[in-house]
Amino acid sequence: MDSIGANDNFIAVLKSHFAFGIRINSPIEIMRFKRFYSDDYGMDCSWTDEEIMDKIQQNCFIHEEKGFILEEDTVDSILNEIYELKMNGARIVYYSSLFEKNEEWFYKVRIFSKTMLKNFIKKYASDVFCKKTYFSWENSTENILLKENIIDVWGVDVLHDYYSLEEKMEYVPIEKIKYALTNNVCFVWNSAETYTLDSRFVISDSEKDSILRYVDEKSKDINGVSLEDIPAQSVYEENFELSKAAILTLIFEIVLSHKYERCNRIVMLKGQQSDAAKMIQEYCLSKDEISLDELLEQWQLRTGTQRQAEPLEIAYSVLTRVDMNTFVRDEKVKYNVSEVDKTLETIVADDAAGMKEIVSFALFPRCNYPWNLFLLESFCRRKSRIFKYMAITSNSRNAGAIVRRDCKFDYHTLLANVLAKRQIELEEKVIMNYLYENGFVARRSYKYINELIELSKKLREGR
């Protein structure tokens, strides 16, 4: 028998007796194959075990340690369906989506899982690049393929949400669409779940020049330029479908990004200090006086967050807080440091006093501003030679402690020492009421209360 006929016999045996696959590297399966071959053709199988294994690898696609063989017209039918995806504009196809959305049809052609589909494609689709979770017709990265596929299907619309794109990209999971939209600058967030494409943004060369000139002039200020202050009314009118956030992002990316860097809503020349903390510090130093609202607004402009602790810590490091709402330059406050320290020594009997244990400022020397707990905190932070301020975190609730500067405790250990020495009942509610009412903490809860109680017990027992 010639080799072609022998190979036909080999394939025929597999199709007749191993419709659900033949286990590879299995001596028992090889013996079964030989027995079926002998029964079908009335002669012994002349191939060695190794030759049979080689033929399985050559003629089958391998899935879960088994070789599968399909009818030629079935193979052609599946490959034609895959070719149609390419003709319809798909750049990237995920095995899971393709299988799940056509599961019934795939079962009919004896493909029973997404992994089995992947192994079939690897074997028979010679023009396809198979990756772990998807295949494509271009040897490119997943992100680039997704980006180009989205651009291909975008059409003339200015806006698309996840779901409209999902309808156009049938075999791409929605989480992959979300990934591509958030990881490519050509897609710009407009509003919840909705994006625009940068090429849909309308802006003339003269408008670009005008914006750039404005920012060039204003950027001489070390604190940068707010995107929201850029005069661009005509740009807003021409792009009426877009949100303000999208327009500001596009103005930056298209007009300014070659020369400037962005820190949330502030732009600065590349190479200038763009660290938000440094920028806030420079801003504070440039002012004679700054309100709390202005400080927090500047922080939000640069970071997009509304936290208070970080900007408060920065302001306290270079300015003096004279009341709830106001920070001023240090020079405006005339502390008599030694006299203030002497006064505090009469108040802070042990290592520390809670901020709200200071109830009178009658004995404090004049300093150009009325004394209050904010002013006292500023003094202890940077001016006192004997005391320092400590707290869980910077705050505007007069929560913290005045502590002797030579005290080496962290704040948790300091609180435990206070509780141990003052004979406070070591029960959670009692402890939290005491610490809150005396100004050691800002609220009646503490993340490490159990550890605090345990440490207080040990200190009280002298362990």
Side-chain angles (χ1 to χ4, degrees):
M1 182 182 295
D2 60 34
S3 59
I4 296 176
N7 197 59
D8 288 343
N9 291 349
F10 177 86
I11 292 171
V13 172
L14 290 182
K15 288 179 178 179
S16 299
H17 302 287
F18 297 93
F20 293 96
I22 180 170
R23 292 194 303 276
I24 60 175
N25 301 318
S26 168
I28 294 175
E29 289 286 78
I30 298 297
M31 289 175 60
R32 290 181 66 226
F33 176 89
K34 289 181 176 179
R35 185 173 70 253
F36 287 133
Y37 186 95
S38 179
D39 291 345
D40 289 353
Y41 296 105
M43 64 179 76
D44 290 338
C45 178
S46 61
W47 295 308
T48 64
D49 291 2
E50 290 76 14
E51 288 173 332
I52 293 172
M53 289 305 306
D54 287 343
K55 285 185 173 293
I56 292 173
Q57 294 287 346
Q58 292 167 14
N59 291 277
C60 301
F61 69 95
I62 308 303
H63 171 65
E64 294 182 347
E65 301 298 310
K66 296 175 82 174
F68 293 85
I69 193 161
L70 303 177
E71 297 290 345
E72 285 186 20
D73 58 349
T74 301
V75 173
D76 291 341
S77 178
I78 298 172
L79 292 178
N80 285 336
E81 293 298 325
I82 291 171
Y83 181 74
E84 281 297 311
L85 298 177
K86 180 183 180 183
M87 292 298 98
N88 290 331
R91 286 181 182 263
I92 181 170
V93 177
Y94 287 80
Y95 306 114
S96 58
S97 298
L98 181 58
F99 180 79
E100 288 164 8
K101 293 182 178 182
N102 301 280
E103 188 170 355
E104 185 177 347
W105 184 81
F106 276 120
Y107 264 81
K108 289 179 180 177
V109 296
R110 311 189 78 79
I111 299 292
F112 303 115
S113 71
K114 64 182 180 182
T115 310
M116 192 174 187
L117 173 61
K118 173 183 176 179
N119 291 323
F120 171 90
I121 294 172
K122 287 173 70 174
K123 175 69 176 181
Y124 295 110
S126 58
D127 62 336
V128 162
F129 294 93
C130 288
K131 305 295 184 179
K132 184 177 181 180
T133 59
Y134 67 89
F135 66 90
S136 65
W137 294 267
E138 303 168 54
N139 191 16
S140 190
T141 66
E142 182 179 23
N143 186 48
I144 289 175
L145 291 166
L146 287 167
K147 179 186 75 172
E148 292 178 347
N149 209 155
I150 292 173
I151 292 172
D152 286 346
V153 303
W154 194 278
V156 298
D157 294 325
V158 174
L159 299 170
H160 274 293
D161 61 21
Y162 302 142
Y163 309 102
S164 62
L165 290 171
E166 185 185 28
E167 289 178 5
K168 295 172 178 287
M169 300 169 68
E170 187 178 3
Y171 299 120
V172 177
I174 195 167
E175 63 269 17
K176 294 296 183 179
I177 294 172
K178 293 178 181 180
Y179 169 83
L181 290 173
T182 56
N183 285 279
N184 290 281
V185 295
C186 61
F187 307 121
V188 177
W189 183 87
N190 184 75
S191 57
E193 301 184 342
T194 305
Y195 283 75
T196 189
L197 185 60
D198 60 3
S199 62
R200 300 297 177 269
F201 185 55
V202 180
I203 184 169
S204 67
D205 289 342
S206 62
E207 287 168 329
K208 293 178 186 177
D209 292 341
S210 175
I211 290 170
L212 188 56
R213 282 196 303 272
Y214 174 85
V215 176
D216 283 344
E217 179 62 30
K218 294 295 183 180
S219 66
K220 295 173 184 176
D221 177 1
I222 189 64
N223 294 300
V225 182
S226 170
L227 281 169
E228 294 185 350
D229 292 339
I230 294 173
Q233 186 59 36
S234 60
V235 178
Y236 284 97
E237 291 172 357
E238 290 161 345
N239 296 278
F240 63 91
E241 292 182 71
L242 300 180
S243 66
K244 183 178 182 180
I247 291 173
L248 293 179
T249 298
L250 286 158
I251 286 175
F252 175 77
E253 292 295 341
I254 292 172
V255 183
L256 302 172
S257 61
H258 70 287
K259 187 176 181 180
Y260 292 89
E261 56 189 347
R262 181 178 181 181
C263 187
N264 195 39
R265 286 180 284 167
I266 298 294
V267 294
M268 300 183 72
L269 281 169
K270 287 184 177 180
Q272 285 186 344
Q273 177 56 256
S274 60
D275 175 71
K278 289 291 185 182
M279 290 169 67
I280 291 295
Q281 187 179 74
E282 291 289 342
Y283 185 85
C284 290
L285 288 170
S286 72
K287 300 288 184 177
D288 284 334
E289 183 175 305
I290 181 174
S291 70
L292 177 62
D293 288 343
E294 183 181 357
L295 173 68
L296 299 180
E297 180 184 5
Q298 290 297 319
W299 178 260
Q300 186 179 7
L301 274 172
R302 288 161 171 78
T303 66
T305 68
Q306 295 182 328
R307 299 188 189 96
Q308 289 201 20
E310 294 95 331
L312 282 174
E313 193 68 32
I314 295 163
Y316 271 121
S317 73
V318 294
L319 299 174
T320 298
R321 192 173 189 178
V322 296
D323 58 38
M324 172 70 177
N325 297 308
T326 313
F327 289 85
V328 302
R329 293 180 70 86
D330 287 354
E331 294 80 1
K332 299 180 76 172
V333 183
K334 304 299 181 181
Y335 290 121
N336 185 328
V337 175
S338 59
E339 290 300 316
V340 177
D341 276 341
K342 285 181 183 178
T343 303
L344 284 174
E345 287 208 88
T346 67
I347 298 171
V348 184
D350 297 319
D351 285 335
M355 289 298 291
K356 291 180 182 176
E357 292 183 284
I358 314 297
V359 295
S360 172
F361 293 96
L363 299 178
F364 282 73
R366 295 177 182 273
C367 65
N368 285 6
Y369 290 87
W371 277 99
N372 56 64
L373 292 178
F374 296 103
L375 190 56
L376 180 60
E377 178 183 332
S378 285
F379 174 81
C380 292
R381 278 176 174 269
R382 294 194 291 114
K383 298 299 182 180
S384 176
R385 302 186 185 101
I386 299 174
F387 298 95
K388 60 185 176 180
Y389 169 81
M390 296 179 71
I392 293 173
T393 187
S394 292
N395 62 86
S396 292
R397 300 186 181 187
N398 299 132
I402 298 171
V403 185
R404 292 191 177 273
R405 195 165 286 277
D406 57 4
C407 176
K408 304 302 182 185
F409 295 143
D410 59 37
Y411 199 60
H412 178 86
T413 307
L414 175 73
L415 294 178
N417 271 271
V418 168
L419 296 171
K421 287 183 177 180
R422 299 189 185 185
Q423 297 299 311
I424 306 302
E425 182 185 350
L426 298 180
E427 189 273 323
E428 180 176 344
K429 186 174 181 180
V430 175
I431 289 172
M432 293 317 306
N433 281 337
Y434 179 84
L435 294 179
Y436 176 78
E437 289 168 2
N438 286 278
F440 286 98
V441 296
R443 51 180 61 87
R444 285 185 170 87
S445 63
Y446 181 50
K447 183 177 181 180
Y448 304 104
I449 183 62
N450 293 331
E451 293 88 338
L452 182 65
I453 291 172
E454 201 59 37
L455 180 56
S456 299
K457 287 179 180 177
K458 290 179 180 179
L459 292 170
R460 188 172 289 178
E461 294 166 4
R463 288 188 282 156

